[in-house]
Amino acid sequence: MIVLGLESTCDESAAAVLRHPREVLSSVVKSQIDEHTRFGGVVPEIASRLHLNYLSSCVHEALERAELSLADIDVIAVSNRPGLQGGLLVGTTLAKTLSYLCDKPLVMVDHLLGHLVAPDLEEEMVYPCVAGIFSGAHSNVYLGKDPLSWEMLARSRDDAPGEAFDKTAKLLGLSYPGGPSIQKNAEGADEKAYQLPLPLPKSLEGDFSFSGLKTAVLYHIRGTNGKEACPEDKWPDLAASFQFTVAKGLTKSLVKEAKANKVKHIYIGGGVAANSRLREYLKSEAKKVGIGVSYPPIRLCVDNATMIARAGALLFQEGKVSSLSESVSSRSEMGLSPSA
Ligand code: KG4
Ligand code: ZN
């Protein structure tokens, strides 16, 4: 089965051609980061206009690189939730048009399902498992029973970790996106220099909150609330301490849920899963208690269309074909019902 995948939920326009299950024939990702950087974050209106400019040429290029035409495609998969409405409408309208004109089945995919099954593109995933999706919009921990059955175990009550990285980077005068900037700035710095609150307040019973952590960084910068002002030459230590605290919080939650659910394998995905400190800390902590950890390569952690094609193929095999009247949603339903 050959699947054409389309992705336009946030600020990456992407198209990919996948021969199910694992042969990636092409993957094209056109990032919009340069156009959003000067605003310090994604501007939804700009994002939708850019998807309109980029997405059809991504599809064209993906087919060209795969040396295929639309006639060779068996299924068209597109992310229709969660995300920014404008981008979702551009992606689904293009996918519906191609599906109608070429008479190909259409499968609408929850973007988070794409992140959850992305590791499977590299090697067959082990079930049951615990998986964390940590991105600019999500901080969700799931129990995976099979590729299409996920139960949500924990989520963030406020910001997502990627958002916390982006906002903290801004406080520290670092550029957008904050994750890679903080990781770079923290290289060689002292991550134990500042004691910051873990994003796991006891009152939330396992859910995350990143607001206290972000505020603590602000107090250190300003020298308020009993904190001594952190001199600018120590800001890399503050950046490293922030990064380490996020890595510790996410790791603590994942390992706790894996142990509680008697699961032997943890997966992570989403943009924040590209963080090298999180990757190494999680692996070493999980190893201490006999739990394995896998994460996809960075190109599959950040937004891409290959994972949408993979999820689309799984849904298609279960007969979950979408109608042309199916619409988009800013919200995910992953893990909220027994079988998403
Ligand atoms: O999954 P993603 O590409 O887009 C969605 O939000 O769906 O994630 C983007 C987020 C941004 O907030 C960015 O700062 C963060 O992922 N990010 C990182 C790293 N690379 C990207 N955060 C920490 N460390 C990184 N190396
Ligand atoms: Zn994503």
Side-chain angles (χ1 to χ4, degrees):
M1 184 197 326
I2 299 180
V3 188
L4 171 67
L6 272 71
E7 158 61 30
S8 59
T9 56
C10 189
D11 60 344
E12 268 92 20
S13 309
V17 181
L18 174 77
R19 191 191 303 275
H20 181 67
R22 291 187 184 84
E23 195 186 341
V24 182
L25 301 178
S26 64
S27 175
V28 179
V29 181
K30 174 80 179 116
S31 169
Q32 305 178 354
I33 282 182
D34 292 347
E35 283 88 347
H36 295 289
T37 298
R38 67 196 163 106
F39 301 103
V42 178
V43 183
E45 177 63 22
I46 295 177
S48 15
R49 283 165 193 246
L50 292 173
H51 285 305
L52 210 47
N53 291 348
Y54 297 154
L55 197 59
S56 53
S57 53
C58 288
V59 170
H60 191 76
E61 197 177 328
L63 288 168
E64 208 168 66
R65 283 199 214 166
E67 299 182 0
L68 294 175
S69 74
L70 278 167
D72 302 311
I73 299 297
D74 298 308
V75 179
I76 298 173
V78 62
S79 41
N80 76 327
R81 63 173 59 218
L84 301 171
Q85 295 269 348
L88 293 171
L89 286 169
V90 172
T92 52
T93 304
L94 177 57
K96 285 179 188 182
T97 309
L98 295 176
S99 157
Y100 181 71
L101 289 178
C102 306
D103 196 20
K104 303 286 178 186
L106 175 69
V107 180
M108 304 261 189
V109 174
D110 191 307
H111 176 86
L112 296 187
L113 179 63
H115 277 302
L116 287 167
V117 300
D120 198 63
L121 285 158
E122 291 288 301
E123 56 179 42
E124 197 172 342
M125 289 174 71
V126 179
Y127 292 94
C129 64
V130 160
I133 301 305
F134 305 122
S135 70
H138 294 93
S139 189
N140 298 351
V141 177
Y142 295 93
L143 173 64
K145 294 165 191 164
D146 66 55
L148 292 179
S149 178
W150 298 88
E151 180 191 333
M152 195 189 284
L153 301 171
R155 64 188 171 92
S156 176
R157 301 283 186 96
D158 42 48
D159 284 354
E163 245 178 314
F165 267 102
D166 294 339
K167 290 178 181 170
T168 303
K170 210 170 187 175
L171 295 176
L172 293 167
L174 301 170
S175 61
Y176 174 84
S181 313
I182 287 186
Q183 182 175 311
K184 191 154 189 290
N185 192 247
E187 273 169 26
D190 179 5
E191 64 181 19
K192 305 263 169 68
Y194 295 91
Q195 295 299 312
L196 301 170
L198 280 181
L200 279 173
K202 278 205 177 72
S203 58
L204 298 188
E205 294 171 354
D207 278 352
F208 301 101
S209 165
F210 291 87
S211 60
L213 171 57
K214 230 174 36 195
T215 309
V217 173
L218 181 67
Y219 289 158
H220 279 289
I221 291 173
R222 287 198 184 147
T224 49
N225 262 48
K227 307 274 190 275
E228 229 174 85
C230 170
E232 224 166 296
D233 64 330
K234 297 279 180 220
W235 284 11
D237 290 346
L238 194 49
S241 302
F242 166 83
Q243 175 177 256
F244 184 48
T245 307
V246 174
K248 249 165 80 177
L250 300 182
T251 296
K252 209 172 166 177
S253 167
L254 290 166
V255 171
K256 186 194 97 179
E257 297 295 359
K259 280 163 76 178
N261 289 283
K262 299 188 172 45
V263 159
K264 285 285 167 208
H265 213 87
I266 293 173
Y267 295 93
I268 52 170
V272 178
N275 187 269
S276 53
R277 189 66 186 108
L278 169 63
R279 286 174 170 242
E280 67 190 9
Y281 186 73
L282 172 61
K283 205 155 209 168
S284 72
E285 289 301 297
K287 196 174 170 195
K288 287 180 192 166
V289 288
I291 294 171
V293 174
S294 302
Y295 21 71
I298 289 170
R299 67 173 192 287
L300 291 174
C301 283
V302 297
D303 288 350
N304 66 88
T306 317
M307 66 182 194
I308 303 302
R310 180 75 175 101
L314 292 166
L315 290 166
F316 182 73
Q317 282 180 324
E318 291 297 306
K320 298 195 175 173
V321 175
S322 307
S323 79
L324 292 180
S325 60
E326 203 166 313
S327 196
V328 302
S329 169
S330 56
R331 296 173 65 84
S332 170
E333 281 174 7
M334 281 303 303
L336 300 177
S337 57
S339 172

